[in-house]
Amino acid sequence: PEFAEKIFDGTKQFEFRRTIFKKNVKTVIVYASSPIKKVIGEFEIDTIIQENISCLWERTKRHAGIDKTYFLKYFNKKQTGYAIKIKAVRKYIKPKCLKQDFSVNPPQSFQYMHDQ
């Protein structure tokens, strides 16, 4: 939930991933894990940066929303990584339930969804 909230308050302008989508994705819904366990909003993707880990940190650190220790731990044993540049955030007034509102279970990393 801490990182999800940082997306909407503007302190986290990049979402990091060890692997990236295989399909064309334009919008990401944001699920806040325990204790909230709800979809709290969404954002559009500006660009996706693929770089070696040290260059990725240098390009994104000012708006990463995480510290370098957490970043390096997340990318442990990876040579390259991805940073999804966030734009056009929309926080929901009322959080949504994945199972009831989207008919899916919480994914481990990400999951493709069709337009609702």
Side-chain angles (χ1 to χ4, degrees), residues 54-85:
S54 61
C55 289
L56 191 63
W57 176 251
E58 287 303 314
R59 286 184 66 178
T60 62
K61 66 184 176 184
R62 286 190 197 98
H63 302 290
I66 58 176
D67 63 28
K68 188 173 184 178
T69 301
Y70 190 92
F71 176 89
L72 293 174
K73 183 177 177 184
Y74 178 75
F75 284 112
N76 184 38
K77 298 183 182 177
K78 286 288 196 179
Q79 298 297 313
T80 61
Y82 300 87
I84 302 167
K85 176 76 171 112

Side-chain angles (χ1 to χ4, degrees):
E2 171 193 352
F3 300 129
E5 286 298 332
K6 285 183 175 187
I7 289 171
F8 298 103
D9 72 16
T11 56
K12 186 172 188 349
Q13 295 178 16
F14 293 95
E15 179 63 18
F16 298 101
R17 288 287 175 251
R18 291 182 281 260
T19 61
I20 202 61
F21 327 114
K22 291 181 176 30
K23 298 179 181 180
N24 184 23
V25 175
K26 295 180 181 178
T27 303
V28 173
I29 65 167
V30 179
Y31 177 79
S33 59
S34 187
I36 297 171
K37 298 182 183 178
K38 299 273 186 181
V39 176
I40 62 169
E42 61 188 59
F43 65 82
E44 289 179 32
I45 296 173
D46 185 346
T47 58
I48 299 175
I49 303 166
Q50 179 183 10
E51 288 275 5
N52 72 59
I53 300 306
S54 61
C55 289
L56 191 63
W57 176 251
E58 287 303 314
R59 286 184 66 178
T60 62
K61 66 184 176 184
R62 286 190 197 98
H63 302 290
I66 58 176
D67 63 28
K68 188 173 184 178
T69 301
Y70 190 92
F71 176 89
L72 293 174
K73 183 177 177 184
Y74 178 75
F75 284 112
N76 184 38
K77 298 183 182 177
K78 286 288 196 179
Q79 298 297 313
T80 61
Y82 300 87
I84 302 167
K85 176 76 171 112
I86 296 168
K87 74 171 183 178
V89 298
R90 191 177 110 208
K91 188 169 185 183
Y92 300 154
I93 294 169
K94 181 181 176 194
K96 298 181 181 188
C97 177
L98 272 179
K99 200 161 199 127
Q100 290 174 332
D101 297 316
F102 296 96
S103 301
V104 297
N105 291 315
Q108 290 300 103
S109 177
F110 63 83
Q111 181 171 331
Y112 298 107
M113 299 178 64
H114 300 287
D115 291 336
Q116 298 292 314

